[in-house]
Amino acid sequence: MTTTPQAVRRASPRTRRAATPPDPARPLLPDSAPVRLLDESGTLLAARTDYPEPPLEALHEMYRRMVLGRRFDTQATALTKQGRLAVYPSSRGQEACQVGAVLAVRDTDWVFPTYRESMALVARGIDPVEVLTLLRGDWHCGYDPTAVHTAPQCTPLATQCVHAAGLAYGEAYQGRDTVALAFIGDGATSEGDFHEGINFAAVFKAPVVYFVQNNKYAISVPLSRQTAAPSLAYKGVGYGVPSEQVDGNDPVAVLAVLTRAVAHARAGKGPYLVEAHTYRMEPHTNADDASRYRDGAEVDAWRDRDPVARLETYLRARGVLDDAKIAAIAAEAEASAAELRTRMNDQPTVDPLSLFEHVYAEPTPQLVEQREQVRAELAAADEEGGH
Ligand SMILES: Cc1ncc(C[n+]2csc(CCOP(=O)(O)OP(=O)(O)O)c2C)c(N)n1
Ligand SMILES: [Mg+2]
């Protein structure tokens, strides 16, 4: 078929316009820069209609829990040195994320933490001694997950992403408006379970908020060796999940962004992905030497963006905090750390053989064999101790 030049001139402008449909991916994409409501010194930036400032009472409570959380964190690290804890992964520097996340959800919502989230669980109101039970070397998580709507702290990376999707789907299926909040680290977003969890949640519109704390390292592996994505928040779009990135050391922004993400999930619109840009100030755990893979100057630069100091400056400026109130919160934190020390000095009686109970209704032959090995070793140690 031949086309006259006149026909081409007549058809082409309309054809070109019709060939550009609206981009369905655009509404899913995060802001090109992390959302920030406070600058690094703690001064409020221009207001945003999409992220209204959370109420001042909520921010005051956030500050209180962040101060208590930081004190808990240093106490837990000290307990490893005294042999009272087997290991402790600190979340110092990540206080805005740890506390903001649990303040954004209801007590009836479910939280899926990793080993990094002890501070978040204390901020959620779980007894700190129970929170530290697993890290003490016991075989169970210390608290009753169903009573506190909080899964055991997860050590296998990203598996909690699948659990959160399943729980959220089940809750919605039964007509409840429960939201599941799954914490995950930057490194763990490379794990298959993260992708399987978020894909399932997206397809079945399960109300999950995936909250990535990008603290820049997976043990010694820096983010640049982990991903080529412009930001981890962009991992949502491939699954049809709306995403946002936030300054994770800006407590006001963290609470505002997570509040919106949780509301999205609760409204039945499916999962949401939030990436918080933050920094792990301490080594991976007390057993790690971070000076082997990162520069002191990098750590110092992040010290200047301290989330606790930033919120304190802001709340002072708003007249919510003053010297007396700050001193009272510091004293409360000291008292709770002292109580934790005392309680952790009581050595719990743990029967090593209890490790083998509750694994299977009928123990496998391997478990029976292993239990007998442990029993024999304990008996031999007892005998040695007796001589
Ligand atoms: C499936 C699996 N692979 C490897 C490990 C060993 N491991 C424990 S923590 C960790 C780093 C995880 O880094 P990230 O996800 O960034 O979380 P962060 O520790 O920084 O909070 C690794 C590789 C593990 N626990 N589970
Ligand atoms: Mg990390």
Side-chain angles (χ1 to χ4, degrees):
M1 199 179 93
T2 53
T3 315
T4 63
Q6 290 90 331
V8 169
R9 262 201 304 280
R10 269 202 311 276
S12 60
R14 207 168 289 153
T15 319
R16 246 188 267 125
R17 237 177 280 134
T20 327
D23 179 0
R26 187 158 291 279
L28 305 177
L29 290 173
D31 270 15
S32 55
V35 174
R36 231 182 206 196
L37 299 182
L38 293 183
D39 73 8
E40 285 186 10
S41 71
T43 305
L44 197 64
L45 297 165
R48 290 179 61 141
T49 47
D50 50 350
Y51 290 114
E53 190 199 344
L56 282 176
E57 312 85 74
L59 293 174
H60 177 265
E61 185 54 24
M62 187 170 182
Y63 173 79
R64 182 180 154 266
R65 293 193 206 189
M66 284 167 66
V67 171
L68 263 68
R70 177 168 287 185
R71 187 63 190 88
F72 161 82
D73 193 80
T74 48
Q75 186 57 57
T77 298
L79 286 166
T80 62
K81 295 182 180 142
Q82 294 154 10
R84 295 292 177 200
L85 275 185
V87 67
Y88 182 72
S90 167
S91 47
R92 188 183 182 87
Q94 300 179 215
E95 289 85 354
C97 298
Q98 296 276 312
V99 177
V102 299
L103 282 182
V105 294
R106 299 176 183 163
D107 287 350
T108 47
D109 289 331
W110 269 77
V111 169
F112 289 79
T114 79
Y115 51 86
R116 181 78 56 209
E117 271 69 64
S118 295
M119 188 193 293
L121 302 194
V122 172
R124 189 158 163 79
I126 304 176
D127 177 357
V129 174
E130 291 182 3
V131 169
L132 294 176
T133 299
L134 194 65
L135 297 169
R136 211 174 202 186
D138 215 325
W139 59 266
H140 61 82
C141 75
Y143 48 88
D144 174 358
T146 54
V148 291
H149 298 107
T150 304
Q153 285 181 275
C154 212
T155 297
L157 297 178
T159 50
Q160 74 280 6
C161 296
V162 186
H163 306 157
L167 181 125
Y169 177 71
E171 287 288 291
Y173 189 75
Q174 293 171 82
R176 290 189 282 271
D177 68 352
T178 313
V179 170
L181 174 89
F183 286 91
I184 179 167
D186 44 289
T189 65
S190 301
E191 287 282 338
D193 280 350
F194 166 69
H195 298 271
E196 290 164 26
I198 196 167
N199 188 53
F200 181 98
V203 170
F204 293 100
K205 281 208 169 345
V208 190
V209 174
Y210 289 102
F211 182 40
V212 182
Q213 284 171 98
N214 174 1
N215 63 9
K216 309 294 179 280
Y217 288 89
I219 313 184
S220 57
V221 177
L223 189 68
S224 57
R225 299 295 300 274
Q226 192 66 247
T227 185
S231 122
L232 298 171
Y234 286 86
K235 293 196 179 191
V237 64
Y239 298 103
V241 174
S243 311
E244 189 57 283
Q245 46 177 340
V246 61
D247 178 340
N249 285 24
D250 173 350
V252 181
V254 169
L255 188 55
V257 168
L258 282 173
T259 298
R260 188 167 126 178
V262 169
H264 171 99
R266 201 181 310 285
K269 297 180 192 165
Y272 203 98
L273 176 67
V274 176
E275 176 193 16
H277 295 267
T278 184
Y279 195 76
R280 192 195 75 209
M281 296 302 290
E282 295 292 318
H284 175 68
T285 69
N286 54 296
D288 171 44
D289 176 5
S291 70
R292 292 174 60 191
Y293 55 83
R294 69 183 190 185
D295 201 26
E298 180 183 288
V299 183
D300 288 341
W302 279 91
R303 217 182 299 284
D304 293 340
R305 301 177 213 171
D306 181 59
V308 179
R310 216 155 145 185
L311 187 56
E312 187 176 308
T313 304
Y314 175 59
L315 292 178
R316 269 184 191 273
R318 294 297 300 265
V320 174
L321 282 180
D322 56 22
D323 287 349
K325 285 185 181 146
I326 290 167
I329 293 171
E332 184 188 352
E334 275 315 312
S336 61
E339 189 190 332
L340 178 61
R341 271 197 307 276
T342 309
R343 291 179 63 205
M344 291 296 284
N345 280 335
D346 291 336
Q347 198 62 32
T349 42
V350 179
D351 176 7
L353 291 173
S354 63
L355 183 66
F356 298 96
E357 286 164 26
H358 318 299
V359 182
Y360 295 104
E362 295 290 330
T364 61
Q366 289 90 341
L367 274 182
V368 172
E369 194 187 325
Q370 288 166 18
R371 186 171 59 196
E372 288 320 305
Q373 276 175 5
V374 172
R375 197 193 301 282
E377 277 180 31
L378 289 170
D382 263 359
E383 240 171 64
E384 246 172 57
H387 289 303

